[in-house]
Amino acid sequence: MAFKVELYTHEMLGIFNGFKNIIGDSCWLNRVSLISNEIKGQKCLAEYLYKENHISFLLSKYSFLVNEKKRPPLDKIENREFYPAISFAAQAMSIIEHAPDEQKNALIRRVQGAFSNPDDMRALQLEILAATHFVRRGYSVSWPEMDKTGNYDLLVSGIGRNGLEVECKSISHDKGKRIHQRERIEFFDCLSVEIKAVIKNLKLGLAVVLTIPKRLPSDAKERSALSRKVVEQILKSNSKLFSDGVEVRISEFDFSSAIDKRSKSPPDRGVIDKITETVNCGAMIIGNSVGGGVMFAIKSSQDDTIIKAIFDTLKKSAKKQVSKNRAAMFLVGFYDLEMNGLNEIAEHDANYNNAPTPLRVGVSKFLSSTSCGHVAGVHFLDEGGLIPKENGDVVNSGTAYTFKNEQSLFWDESFNNLFESSQESLG
């Protein structure tokens, strides 16, 4: 299947109109209307819901821009703000246009459905990114699940001994978490009001870590009671383990040194982890006018680590989804994760004086497993970004941290250098 792998700025309006005709603008307009009404009732969720539905919001904004005037100014309709949405539209249309007639309707329904479910949208975007990546390198790509010839996402032909099976896994912020981001934001919003009232005269920093036995309670009264436990311990400035398994741990730190009040961005993930003595937990920072404040983190005592969750997923997929009759490769896309950046992880592992990161350790165990002899490699990708080139072409840029398995039963030299970023050879 050959499809569009390049986007030029002068094509943006035409691509949008074509996508609108095929998919229907009600998909994103209705979604944005629904989310906007939800935000009115819970303003604390605005940033979170926008990120989760950013393709819908961009296409909705573009719709209004195009409908506002018969000929909207070029600087508005060719604005880089819309690159992610128009790029997605271009790739989705190419796939639909080149699909067999009997599959077109199923593909259209899949794209339409993705607007209603952020997880489905992320999965579809990753598949499109993967397909584009291989087509750019001269290979042909087919979708076995559409052809009903396999349970994996992509079959790349013209590479290896008999092609390459590719399975894409999109990993979001809730992977391996008992406390999901949305419910944590809602709890933080409720708790912040009470915390601000009791730290007005605090001149130092308090690191407050709340550990709950399982999940946050769904009942409003129970959540309110949990908030009161936290506030009471902040007032007392000491830690406590309650009989119901809830623990509030409090320690002091230099707030003014750790937090730059002039910056609108939070401290680096490593700073938060060090101060709270947690790993990749959601955190809230509240300062006051006298130089003090609170850094609050919440976790579940039953949280699986994200690394464990990722490799549990890969092990299951290696066993049940790919055929084991040819080389298989996994592409793992990270989306808005509360962890150290992928580039930072790769740079850390590149220095052999450093202890290997959990990601490197996990992939080493995975690829060396006797049940993964058909897996030729694992490639981790971050969200990256779409950037314009001088010729008007728009390309995707991002970090790829790749691990190849030269001991695979189906290893082939053509699998080398598929991604031009930090690489590790295992085997």
Side-chain angles (χ1 to χ4, degrees), residues 31 34 62 64 107 117 128 147 200 205 276 321 360 376:
R31 181 64 177 175
L34 179 69
Y62 205 88
F64 286 111
L107 275 168
N117 187 319
I128 289 174
D147 300 329
K200 291 186 293 186
T276 60
Q321 284 189 278
R360 177 182 166 83

Side-chain angles (χ1 to χ4, degrees), residues 52 114 117-124 170 172:
E52 286 286 275
N117 187 319
D119 285 333
D120 289 348
M121 178 62 79
R122 281 187 283 264
L124 184 58
S170 61
S172 70

Side-chain angles (χ1 to χ4, degrees), residues 92 109 227 240 275 278 364 389:
R109 287 194 298 270
S227 295
K240 183 174 180 178
I275 291 173
T278 61
S364 179
K389 296 172 71 175

Side-chain angles (χ1 to χ4, degrees), residues 229-283:
K229 285 182 179 181
V230 173
V231 173
E232 286 172 5
Q233 296 312 121
I234 291 175
L235 285 169
K236 296 175 182 177
S237 195
N238 63 19
S239 305
K240 183 174 180 178
L241 175 62
F242 294 86
S243 59
D244 58 1
V246 171
E247 181 183 19
V248 179
R249 175 167 53 84
I250 296 180
S251 58
E252 296 181 359
F253 71 100
D254 187 339
F255 190 88
S256 58
S257 296
I259 309 299
D260 182 1
K261 289 188 176 182
R262 295 168 299 178
S263 174
K264 294 183 180 180
S265 302
D268 291 340
R269 180 77 253 175
V271 173
I272 295 173
D273 288 355
K274 183 177 181 181
I275 291 173
T276 60
E277 298 180 1
T278 61
V279 178
N280 295 325
C281 286

Side-chain angles (χ1 to χ4, degrees), residues 5 15 38 197 316 326 372:
V5 296
I15 290 171
E38 190 172 4
K316 184 177 179 180
R326 61 170 67 86
C372 291

